[in-house]
Amino acid sequence: MSPVDSLPIHADEHRVRNDRPLLTNDGPQRSPDAPRPPVDEPPPGCNEPDTVEEPPPAVDDPGNIEEPPPGEAPGKIDDPPGKPERRIDLSSIVETDIPARLDRLPWSRFHTLVVVALGITWILDGLEVTLAGTLAGALKESPVLHFSNSDVGFATSAYLAGAVLGAIFFGWLTDRLGRKKLFFITLGVYLSATGATAFSWDVWSFAAFRFLTGAGIGGEYTAINSTIQELIPARVRGWSDLLINGSFWIGAAAGAAGSIIVLDPAVLHPEYGWRLAFLIGAGIGVVIFFMRIWIPESPRWLMTHGRAAEAEAVVAGIEHQVYGERVPSRKDLPTVRLRMRRSTPLGEVANTLFKVYRTRSLVGLSLMASQAFFYNAIFFTYALILIDFYGVSAEGVGWYVLPFAAGNFLGPLLLGRLFDTLGRRPMITFTYAISGILLAGIGYLFKQELISAQTQTMAWTVVFFFASAAASSAYLTVSETFPLEIRALTIAFFYAVGTGIGGVAGPWMFGALIDSGSRASVYSGYLVGAALMVAAAAIQWRYGIAAERKSLESVARPLASAD
């Protein structure tokens, strides 16, 4: 008789969920070699027995995961138990309390490390975008490249086009292969391509490398957003998501400060300064690669892909880190019942987006497209505005970006908690509407030549204090209001379509408007951006979802739900 067989079974074991991970399987009769489900209920029609004859657990049964043997430390968070996973039984149903256990966790060192290791993606993107903006003058003055304003706009659009296609492709892979695997692949694409940009020899090579860099960043958005959403507790999901997205502007500030140094002809030759800036971005990517090694796969993704034992191991490891030996009871936690699946057919994805949740799709598309146009059109071309209309030198542009970046970061930081307390619907509506109104007003002052470069920079700082929170809430909305199984691909779809409509067209259009030399023409572009933001605010107010402090599974029922 095995040691497991000799253990006494208490009479109330079948009633108390805290004694073992809650994982039950319902389905057709399986072979004797398959794992046997735990006996949680007496047979129908029988009185409650004094003891329960529980069968020995299978080697991959998660029943022994939560409590390590005395004197032994628990394994790593993402250690799989026992043997490799068995082939997925698509007829089985898993009942689990994993979502509730993740949502009840207090904020801990684990969550802080997740935010830092994954959220740094937005710092990278901010660095990239700022480099493209602040280096515009250096690229025009480069004796090798000799860029025109149109060339700068073309390269910017190439970066955004890469982000669009990369988001779609890597988003599809993220839902199929898992979150963790993809955020390493996408980071590898990014750091390789941005390093190669430093060796560009003409506009076509520069645009090609920027396209690949964008593909890596677009893939990062989908893998990272879905992972963070699935690991952060529901009560702080709004604030943390806005703060992470707002960290884009830490990268923007770093890029602006760095450009002041690398573009100073007294420090570096003008032809080498901009090249060094891109190499620094690649170096940062290498550091981030090693920061992510310890992060586990999303338990929510694992539990729907036939890897329930691994999901239990991950959550048990997180609980051990957070609670130590005082893990709270799971007796009254809600559960979800999920039918196993390997992947989600594209037809089901389309049906979910355009039929089941068509109004949510309208909201997501309007929020993403309007903020993409607003940001990419204005920020990507801000250096050109300063140089062409205010006579600011190329090496001095960074000083004007620093306060701009500060306002963008402070917006999500100071307004973020209101998205969890006052709610998503009123806060998203307000930030979008006020951003559009302020843009139209500041644009009019620019047209009438009533403001200087310094005054316009301070005005943009105020406008983007609100616009940054608005833009971050767009990513929050599309990542929390659709089902788990298609979360990454949904983020990719709205990011791609929104950026394709607003982001790719915006910089090209504004580049042409700036080349015209007419303030009135540029102002017409500002009015388009303002109108899009106000229209998105109206759609959000009418159709927005109150997702604050709710579990992801209650906001959008999983496609694999068996309830």
Side-chain angles (χ1 to χ4, degrees):
M1 183 166 60
S2 70
V4 173
D5 291 330
S6 64
L7 292 175
I9 306 297
H10 296 290
D12 60 348
E13 182 176 350
H14 68 283
R15 298 195 302 271
V16 182
R17 286 186 288 184
N18 195 45
D19 289 344
R20 59 183 297 110
L22 182 60
L23 258 178
T24 63
N25 295 280
D26 302 320
Q29 187 68 31
R30 289 176 287 184
S31 68
D33 294 332
R36 300 178 65 182
V39 179
D40 287 337
E41 299 292 341
C46 294
N47 294 327
E48 181 173 327
D50 293 331
T51 60
V52 177
E53 296 284 340
E54 183 171 13
V59 290
D60 60 347
D61 186 349
N64 294 322
I65 293 172
E66 186 168 318
E67 297 293 337
E72 294 187 19
K76 295 180 180 179
I77 290 179
D78 55 353
D79 279 348
K83 292 184 178 180
E85 285 290 307
R86 296 176 185 266
R87 184 174 299 175
I88 299 174
D89 181 0
L90 297 181
S91 65
S92 65
I93 295 175
V94 169
E95 181 176 2
T96 178
D97 56 5
I98 283 176
R101 289 161 65 189
L102 290 172
D103 282 339
R104 75 173 178 177
L105 289 169
W107 190 270
S108 66
R109 180 173 177 270
F110 167 78
H111 298 104
T112 300
L113 292 176
V114 167
V115 167
V116 171
L118 296 183
I120 204 167
T121 292
W122 281 261
I123 297 178
L124 280 179
D125 193 24
L127 181 67
E128 286 297 318
V129 170
T130 307
L131 287 176
T134 58
L135 296 180
L139 297 175
K140 291 168 63 177
E141 297 171 4
S142 168
V144 174
L145 299 182
H146 296 295
F147 277 9
S148 66
N149 285 342
S150 296
D151 289 335
V152 172
F154 170 68
T156 298
S157 293
Y159 172 82
L160 292 171
V164 166
L165 296 178
I168 290 291
F169 176 67
F170 290 121
W172 175 71
L173 287 180
T174 299
D175 281 333
R176 292 181 67 89
L177 304 181
R179 315 315 193 197
K180 182 171 183 175
K181 186 177 296 184
L182 264 295
F183 61 61
F184 280 110
I185 293 174
T186 54
L187 181 60
V189 171
Y190 161 79
L191 64 89
S192 300
T194 198
T197 306
F199 301 96
S200 302
W201 56 91
D202 59 16
V203 65
W204 294 104
S205 62
F206 186 88
F209 293 138
R210 295 299 290 165
F211 175 88
L212 293 175
T213 303
I217 288 293
E220 283 276 286
Y221 273 135
T222 60
I224 302 309
N225 260 314
S226 51
T227 304
I228 290 174
Q229 288 285 326
E230 292 164 10
L231 290 176
I232 297 298
R235 66 187 176 279
V236 292
R237 192 171 60 238
W239 170 76
S240 59
D241 196 271
L242 263 68
L243 184 62
I244 290 167
N245 280 277
S247 66
F248 171 101
W249 295 100
I250 297 178
S259 71
I260 295 171
I261 298 173
V262 299
L263 296 182
D264 186 347
V267 178
L268 287 171
H269 188 281
E271 182 58 27
Y272 300 125
W274 66 266
R275 297 181 187 272
L276 177 61
F278 286 112
L279 287 176
I280 292 173
I284 294 173
V286 173
V287 174
I288 296 170
F289 191 93
F290 290 100
M291 289 176 61
R292 293 181 176 177
I293 291 176
W294 67 273
I295 297 177
E297 178 59 87
S298 165
R300 283 179 156 108
W301 183 87
L302 289 169
M303 73 185 187
T304 60
H305 287 77
R307 297 164 66 179
E310 288 184 60
E312 283 286 342
V314 170
V315 176
I318 295 172
E319 289 178 327
H320 181 81
Q321 282 195 13
V322 174
Y323 299 118
E325 301 301 323
R326 298 173 175 258
V327 178
S329 170
R330 295 158 50 190
K331 184 175 181 180
D332 298 319
L333 290 180
T335 63
V336 293
R337 299 176 73 247
L338 303 170
R339 190 177 301 277
M340 295 297 92
R341 57 169 62 194
R342 291 190 182 91
S343 60
T344 302
L346 291 179
E348 187 175 5
V349 175
N351 180 69
T352 303
L353 291 178
F354 304 122
K355 185 176 180 181
V356 179
Y357 291 122
R358 58 183 177 272
T359 55
R360 296 188 185 190
S361 295
L362 172 64
V363 172
L365 180 60
S366 64
L367 295 180
M368 291 295 287
S370 58
Q371 67 84 25
F373 184 94
F374 190 92
Y375 259 96
N376 293 312
I378 296 171
F379 185 65
F380 268 126
T381 57
Y382 188 45
L384 300 180
I385 291 285
L386 292 171
I387 293 170
D388 288 14
F389 289 95
Y390 291 111
V392 176
S393 63
E395 59 270 18
V397 168
W399 293 110
Y400 292 86
V401 175
L402 286 174
F404 187 95
N408 275 275
F409 178 68
L410 290 174
L413 177 65
L414 300 179
L415 299 177
R417 292 198 182 276
L418 298 178
F419 286 76
D420 285 321
T421 54
L422 295 182
R424 309 283 200 262
R425 190 162 166 258
M427 285 304 299
I428 295 175
T429 300
F430 168 73
T431 52
Y432 267 79
I434 194 66
S435 300
I437 293 169
L438 289 175
L439 174 62
I442 301 303
Y444 178 78
L445 296 178
F446 166 79
K447 175 191 172 186
Q448 299 300 116
E449 300 186 45
L450 298 176
I451 51 178
S452 64
Q454 294 79 9
T455 309
Q456 180 158 347
T457 298
M458 297 311 298
W460 282 157
T461 301
V462 175
V463 172
F464 284 87
F465 174 87
F466 297 104
S468 181
S472 298
S473 70
Y475 290 96
L476 170 66
T477 299
V478 299
S479 59
E480 72 179 355
T481 55
F482 293 91
L484 163 71
E485 297 85 348
I486 62 171
R487 178 162 293 121
L489 188 55
T490 298
I491 296 169
F493 170 77
F494 288 108
Y495 173 78
V497 175
T499 302
I501 293 173
V504 175
W508 174 82
M509 185 186 83
F510 266 76
L513 293 175
I514 292 170
D515 272 342
S516 72
S518 168
R519 287 177 177 254
S521 297
V522 175
Y523 177 55
S524 67
Y526 289 153
L527 288 179
V528 172
L532 289 173
M533 293 294 281
V534 172
I539 292 173
Q540 166 66 24
W541 180 254
R542 176 66 180 82
Y543 298 110
I545 301 297
E548 59 273 8
R549 301 184 302 280
K550 297 179 181 177
S551 72
L552 294 171
E553 290 73 20
S554 65
V555 174
R557 180 182 176 185
L559 299 177
S561 176
D563 292 327

